């Protein structure tokens, strides 16, 4: 089985490494020839291509690890093998899948996916199969999908080391992701930007501030695109957060110790059971 | 030089371990005899005491690693060696120091401190000297302090492995800590509690949600006390955060891509230079 990964960045690079030893014929497509040469030397890909037209036409699965708009360009400009699976790693789905399905050949099985794994650092140098361990994966199912191919996809990503694999509609995906991924990013950005810089902040932080602001270092183009194309769900999640934040503020203003403790106990219990 | 650590939890336990090999005579006081026996067996303390009156009266430095209200009880009920240094690890200072100074013997050098290191897990089992590496330490100076003793304290904590040691007034400490420590905790609690639990959230999270909610598992009694005794600074920090969060929301409502990108670029630059 021929599998081609397009874009050997931190996610694409992790894909080729996670497939190592599983018996697939893995190829890579990237604009950076050095990256391709390195991945080939390391034994993770059989061959690398800057122009992927020939290998894509022969691949049984194509995993496109590019930014959303570049995925659409790639789909538009390439012909995939009939009956092959094409997948992506795009962070929002409703809007994106509508676009993708409108341009891809009808005899290709397009199964959008979301590996909930990543690093702050970009590029192949930061790729590793460990990125996928203990991570969640969401397989997006749309009405045109073949159920057996969806099952195949779930099995495939499980083999790569993902801890949990769930099947969802694009709408459900975008709703939950607005809360679990996009809202944390808005919070981190706002927290970092609310520093009045009166003190030399970095000298007065502990791990809490480090952890809450790590993702404030954010790819501006990518995340503006993701946020704006999931605006309604994200705004609803932001409002839910604000309501809880206001309750905390109110308890403080009222010096209501019991109300504070009740909120802390609730958040503690929820956090403890989060990944059980 | 005799140094006694009171309370061998995660912080106190890390203190005795960090002092190992530095030439001090280290003793421990704790209500748990098993913890004392373990620390002695490991060679981190020369002896452990449940009743610390005798050893405290002989100690050149006493490091009290208890909750704020228990520190005050401890100070009230013990007699310290004349001229010795007594320090604590309490997370807020203005209110606390006023109380502490009103009850401690006048011939003792009380130097409040804040090791900005910690773990989610409690207890000696999670203590280790690595907790202090790359961590910040704040030495609190008040008008009655002897400058040479403050300098001694800075030198002492540097030897324990802290990356940065800064001297501050209790007021400045409480102001900056309301932003770098307390605000992140309010945010984490509000984020965790704003989950509408429509989906099985734990299956749809990545590291961003994990990182932003880790501290939502919070000691309710301790943090209610810390928040309420630093209410004005904390409310001001919360309001600054809300203002930034509102700006993000407004840019989303207005579909103002440029405004979003400008905020993302600002937060990215600030995060990158945070610990440089």
């Amino acid at each position: 089985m021929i599998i081609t990964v397009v874009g050997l960045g931190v996610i694409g690079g992790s894909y080729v490494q996670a497939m190592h030893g599983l018996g697939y014929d893995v190829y890579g497509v990237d604009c950076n020839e050095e990256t391709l040469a390195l991945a080939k030397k390391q034994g993770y890909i059989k061959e690398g291509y800057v122009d992927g037209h020939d290998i894509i036409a022969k691949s049984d699965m194509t995993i496109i690890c590019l930014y959303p708009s570049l995925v659409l360009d790639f789909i538009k400009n390439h012909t995939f093998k009939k009956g092959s699976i094409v997948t992506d790693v795009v962070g929002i789905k409703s809007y994106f899948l509508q676009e993708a399905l409108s341009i891809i050949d009808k005899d290709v099985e397009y199964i959008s996916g979301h590996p909930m794994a990543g690093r702050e650092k970009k590029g192949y140098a930061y790729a590793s199969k460990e990125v996928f361990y203990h991570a969640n994966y969401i397989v997006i199912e749309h009405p045109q999908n073949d159920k057996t191919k969806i099952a195949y996809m779930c099995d495939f990503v499980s083999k790569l080391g993902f801890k949990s694999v769930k099947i969802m509609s694009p709408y459900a995906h975008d709703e939950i992701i607005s809360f679990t991924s996009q809202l944390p990013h808005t919070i981190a950005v706002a927290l970092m930007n609310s520093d009045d810089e009166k003190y030399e902040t970095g000298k007065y932080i502990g791990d809490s501030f480090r952890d809450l602001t790590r993702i404030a270092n954010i790819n501006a183009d990518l995340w503006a695109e993701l946020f704006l194309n999931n605006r309604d769900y994200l705004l609803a999640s932001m409002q839910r957060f604000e309501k809880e934040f206001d309750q905390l503020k109110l308890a403080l203003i009222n010096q209501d110790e019991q109300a504070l403790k009740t909120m802390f106990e609730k958040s503690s219990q929820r956090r403890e059971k989060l990944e059980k």
Side-chain angles (χ1 to χ4, degrees), chain A:
Chain A
M1 181 172 176
I2 297 177
I3 300 184
T4 299
V5 176
V6 180
L8 296 188
V10 67
I11 295 295
S14 299
Y15 265 107
V16 299
Q17 294 182 25
M19 283 190 277
H20 192 63
L22 298 182
Y24 305 113
D25 294 325
V26 180
Y27 294 88
V29 175
D30 199 281
C31 56
N32 187 323
E33 293 190 50
E34 283 177 33
T35 298
L36 293 169
L38 179 60
K40 186 179 173 186
K41 193 179 150 201
Q42 292 171 325
Y44 294 127
I45 60 173
K46 291 186 91 164
E47 194 54 74
Y49 305 94
V50 173
D51 177 341
H53 284 91
D54 290 347
I55 189 68
I56 293 295
K58 288 184 227 164
S59 298
D60 302 295
M61 188 189 291
T62 304
I63 304 170
I64 311 175
C65 304
L66 302 174
Y67 287 165
S69 55
L70 296 177
V71 178
L72 297 175
D73 287 346
F74 191 89
I75 293 173
K76 217 175 290 178
N77 298 325
H78 287 77
T79 305
F80 301 90
K81 184 178 171 181
K82 199 172 166 177
S84 73
I85 292 175
V86 177
T87 186
D88 62 71
V89 299
V90 170
I92 48 161
K93 298 299 184 184
S94 312
Y95 143 86
F96 172 78
L97 198 60
Q98 204 172 2
E99 298 278 317
L101 290 177
S102 73
I103 52 174
I104 201 161
D105 302 335
K106 297 294 165 237
D107 53 9
V108 164
E109 188 72 23
Y110 196 86
I111 306 179
S112 200
H114 189 177
M116 298 199 69
R119 298 229 161 147
E120 297 82 59
K121 306 283 187 179
K122 289 190 285 186
Y124 185 78
Y126 297 97
S128 94
K129 61 181 179 179
E130 279 80 27
V131 168
F132 294 161
Y133 295 167
H134 312 295
N136 293 315
Y137 190 98
I138 308 175
V139 172
I140 306 301
E141 186 177 28
H142 58 83
Q144 293 98 306
N145 276 129
D146 177 345
K147 293 268 181 201
T148 60
K149 294 273 172 80
I150 291 286
Y152 179 86
M153 192 67 186
C154 290
D155 184 55
F156 170 72
V157 293
S158 293
K159 283 184 192 150
L160 302 183
F162 285 94
K163 181 184 70 171
S164 159
V165 181
K166 286 279 187 183
I167 302 170
M168 272 189 146
S169 77
Y171 312 102
H173 169 275
D174 287 0
E175 185 175 18
I176 185 67
I177 251 52
S178 77
F179 177 68
T180 59
S181 167
Q182 297 192 325
L183 176 60
H185 282 81
T186 63
I187 288 171
V189 167
L191 175 57
M192 196 70 245
N193 287 347
S194 66
D195 184 0
D196 64 3
E197 300 190 318
K198 183 172 166 185
Y199 301 97
E200 198 187 341
T201 310
K203 297 279 190 278
Y204 307 103
I205 62 173
D207 284 336
S208 61
F209 195 83
R210 283 187 196 98
D211 283 352
L212 266 83
T213 57
R214 195 165 290 120
I215 53 172
N217 192 346
I218 191 171
N219 182 315
D221 292 334
L222 173 64
W223 284 89
E225 185 179 348
L226 294 175
F227 280 6
L228 289 170
N229 286 305
N230 200 29
R231 202 166 67 104
D232 293 345
Y233 282 136
L234 177 54
L235 282 170
S237 288
M238 290 174 87
Q239 276 154 13
R240 283 217 314 275
F241 167 76
E242 272 184 319
K243 208 177 135 195
E244 288 295 327
F245 196 75
D246 281 345
Q247 281 189 23
L248 249 172
K249 223 172 64 174
L250 195 67
L252 262 175
I253 290 168
N254 295 337
Q255 306 197 47
D256 187 343
E257 190 178 353
Q258 193 47 56
L260 283 177
K261 287 185 184 174
T262 303
M263 286 183 248
F264 297 164
E265 280 155 12
K266 182 177 170 184
S267 67
S268 298
Q269 283 159 9
R270 286 179 160 212
R271 186 58 176 80
E272 270 182 30
K273 70 168 197 188
L274 183 65
E275 296 197 80
K276 275 184 184 162

